[in-house]
Amino acid sequence: MNELTSLTLADARDGLRQKRFSADELTAAHLAAMEQARALNAFVLETPERAREMAKACDARLARGEAGPLEGIPLAVKDMFCTAGIRSTACSRILRDFVPTYESTVTANLWRDGAVLIGKTNCDEFAMGSSNETSCFGSVISPWRPRGANTPLTPGGSSGGSAAAVAARLCLGATGTDTGGSIRQPAALTGTVGMKPTYGRCSRWGIVAFASSLDQAGPFARTVRDAAILLRSMAGPDPKDATCADLPVPDYEQAVGRSVKGLRIGVPKEYRLDGMPAEIETLWQQGGEWLRNAGAELVEVSLPHTRYALPAYYIVCPAEASSNLARYDGVRYGLRVEGGDINAMYEATRAAGFGREVRRRVMIGTYVLSAGYYDAYYLRAQKVRTLIKQDFEQVFARGIDAILTPATPSAAFALGEKSGSDPIEMYLNDVFTVTVNMAGLPGLAVPAGLDARGLPLGLQLIGRPFDEATLFSLGHVIEQAAGHFAPERWW
Ligand code: GLN
């Protein structure tokens, strides 16, 4: 059984087609692994019955030779995605008992292609966070531990459950959402591969809205090839989301292994931060070397507005969140706490239903959008956003094919270490990832090494709009050179 959970998604797919094992066996192995890993708190809902049912249907299709691209592949889904008939909470008390009647487009695409749902994964409440500590179901504990210590670490956030589940081999892949780094940062902290596609590559329909102009769904996997396979199924046009691009989806797997000779890789000087650990700097240079050895050319580039990205993000993002979260009013769905009149009911419901970080964002967002402050904060942040986007456009116009940066400013930190009274401590984690959401570009996090304590570190590749394929080619080169990293099992 153990062997089945060690397969890559691509190998599992091939093994199923060659009838070396059945979808039922593959699913059973992962269900057992999930049950044995409850100490990680990666799942907020296990769906074993649904999984077995789906796997049986997969075996029937495999027997008939009608296998879809993901036939029989056990996956986990972040609890931000609505799944029909299956509780979907965004890890918030306000949606704690919410069972949608409809399916998100991304997950529907996965089931269409034959994937099997094993459960819904834990995340920060409404995906607001970088450590998975704001979930109403409690924190996820990373499967990684510092060498020789048992300090509980964060798997990163907000998609911490998906990252932990993939790293701990509880599933062959998982979905995440990334508004400011929530796929790439947890991927980097858990030694997994995470892709945030171009804004509009995947439909947002049926995903709980956080900051609509920044939100994008994407995959977690243990290899670049597996992430490429997953994205192909997840992506595609959708008439139900007006911001979803009406563009065909390439076969991303073909890009894996493609030569990167002659590609020009930008290295932005503004991403060299004061106080950044030397290990991160070394890793970044190493990544550049690997790409150069594969025939790519490294070019120093400048993205001058980088330093304004975090403050601008933390205005635009709460502004959109405060507007999106206005719908949780205790009237239509979700939690209701009775009050004397309707205003008292709204207040009581929202006070009881939202956690601290969510309330903070709603208040900041409401403030920056209010008459009198709109121009000073929101409008100015939008202007900065345009400048950030232009920085990237100018670099790409110079013939740069992709940009290489660290994925995070440090390896995983301890639970509780950055969740104290100063929220900025946590926000600083997003320094390398938010720019990519502000500009709507694709970003790939690839594991690239371990730090002195034996914890994973990742690199980020940023691409031109809708050029995820080049990122998969480059990511594969880094993966080939760096190798794979798996946590030692303690759970
Ligand atoms: N950490 C960022 C935030 O809290 C990003 C979250 C995300 O990408 N969902 O806003």
Side-chain angles (χ1 to χ4, degrees):
M1 280 303 187
N2 239 342
E3 276 163 41
L4 292 182
T5 59
S6 306
L7 294 173
T8 64
L9 189 157
D11 289 342
R13 171 192 65 185
D14 300 343
L16 284 166
R17 294 196 180 164
Q18 292 154 10
K19 311 276 191 303
R20 283 195 273 126
F21 43 84
S22 65
D24 194 45
E25 287 166 330
L26 186 65
T27 295
H30 286 94
L31 291 177
M34 175 172 69
E35 273 171 33
Q36 287 157 17
R38 292 203 177 119
L40 304 180
N41 201 26
F43 286 84
V44 297
L45 185 74
E46 298 178 0
T47 57
E49 280 109 58
R50 171 69 65 113
R52 285 192 206 98
E53 214 175 277
M54 290 173 103
K56 288 223 160 60
C58 296
D59 279 326
R61 284 191 294 269
L62 281 156
R64 291 198 301 269
E66 291 169 7
L70 293 174
E71 202 66 60
I73 300 297
L75 298 181
V77 168
K78 185 181 186 181
D79 216 23
M80 290 292 279
F81 292 78
C82 286
T83 40
I86 293 170
R87 191 188 68 177
S88 307
T89 69
C91 295
S92 178
R93 275 190 303 277
I94 214 152
L95 284 175
R96 193 140 187 171
D97 304 311
F98 179 59
V99 179
T101 52
Y102 48 86
E103 187 77 29
S104 82
T105 298
V106 164
T107 49
N109 290 347
L110 293 171
W111 318 142
R112 172 204 66 204
D113 283 356
V116 170
L117 172 69
I118 64 161
K120 301 291 294 283
T121 55
N122 203 344
C123 60
D124 280 297
E125 184 178 7
F126 284 104
M128 297 178 190
S130 307
S131 63
N132 212 123
E133 291 172 288
T134 71
S135 165
C136 76
F137 297 101
S139 307
V140 175
I141 298 175
S142 175
W144 286 90
R145 282 176 161 181
R147 205 175 280 130
N150 54 11
T151 328
L153 299 179
T154 178
S158 64
S159 316
S162 289
V166 171
R169 302 172 189 262
L170 315 182
C171 51
L172 292 174
T175 68
T177 58
D178 189 315
T179 302
S182 280
I183 293 175
R184 291 160 289 153
Q185 184 255 20
L189 301 194
T190 57
T192 55
V193 177
M195 153 73 71
K196 182 203 90 78
T198 312
Y199 184 78
R201 184 64 289 190
C202 292
S203 168
R204 289 182 297 108
W205 197 82
I207 299 174
V208 175
F210 166 13
S212 304
S213 76
L214 301 158
D215 297 344
Q216 187 55 205
F220 283 93
R222 288 195 293 270
T223 69
V224 171
R225 178 181 301 276
D226 292 355
I229 295 170
L230 284 169
L231 182 61
R232 188 189 184 193
S233 288
M234 293 168 72
D238 181 11
K240 289 193 261 185
D241 172 5
T243 64
C244 187
D246 192 11
L247 291 171
V249 183
D251 181 357
Y252 295 120
E253 195 180 355
Q254 282 181 13
V256 178
R258 196 178 279 163
S259 165
V260 301
K261 214 175 242 146
L263 290 183
R264 301 184 76 214
I265 310 301
V267 178
K269 56 174 193 239
E270 291 81 5
Y271 281 56
R272 196 155 281 120
L273 300 181
D274 282 348
M276 190 162 83
E279 289 175 312
I280 302 280
E281 174 71 39
T282 311
L283 180 90
W284 190 13
Q285 278 173 15
Q286 176 67 259
E289 280 291 317
W290 288 330
L291 295 178
R292 199 183 290 124
N293 292 342
E297 185 194 338
L298 296 194
V299 186
E300 188 183 83
V301 297
S302 174
L303 298 165
H305 296 93
T306 301
R307 54 194 287 240
Y308 305 110
L310 263 187
Y313 170 85
Y314 276 100
I315 290 174
V316 172
C317 164
E320 294 187 22
S322 70
S323 160
N324 273 326
L325 269 55
R327 73 190 70 182
Y328 303 103
D329 56 7
V331 175
R332 285 165 288 188
Y333 47 77
L335 181 77
R336 171 185 292 198
V337 178
E338 295 300 341
D341 59 18
I342 189 156
N343 284 324
M345 188 279 284
Y346 288 156
E347 283 174 18
T349 299
R350 289 168 65 84
F354 291 147
R356 251 169 73 98
E357 183 61 25
V358 175
R359 290 201 299 265
R360 175 171 16 240
R361 306 253 181 145
V362 169
M363 286 190 279
I364 294 173
T366 307
Y367 180 81
V368 300
L369 288 175
S370 60
Y373 293 103
Y374 181 95
D375 288 358
Y377 292 102
Y378 183 71
L379 194 64
R380 191 181 280 183
Q382 289 289 48
K383 288 181 180 162
V384 172
R385 182 176 186 174
T386 302
L387 294 173
I388 291 167
K389 190 158 180 277
Q390 285 170 354
D391 281 355
F392 282 103
E393 283 164 1
Q394 278 155 16
V395 165
F396 289 128
R398 280 180 49 204
I400 298 295
D401 297 289
I403 295 167
L404 178 71
T405 78
T408 57
S410 72
F413 44 93
L415 289 169
E417 192 180 323
K418 296 185 193 233
S419 49
S421 54
D422 182 4
I424 310 283
E425 277 277 307
M426 190 66 79
Y427 297 171
L428 287 173
N429 250 283
D430 308 330
V431 61
F432 299 134
T433 48
V434 293
T435 48
V436 180
N437 300 74
M438 294 290 264
L441 300 171
L444 177 71
V446 201
L450 299 176
D451 76 352
R453 294 167 304 160
L455 300 176
L457 295 170
L459 288 171
Q460 173 177 237
L461 288 155
I462 306 168
R464 296 166 179 269
F466 298 101
D467 191 15
E468 285 80 4
T470 297
L471 302 187
F472 286 126
S473 301
L474 291 163
H476 183 67
V477 169
I478 292 177
E479 176 180 58
Q480 294 284 94
H484 293 281
F485 307 96
E488 241 166 73
R489 188 169 161 183
W490 54 266
W491 55 91

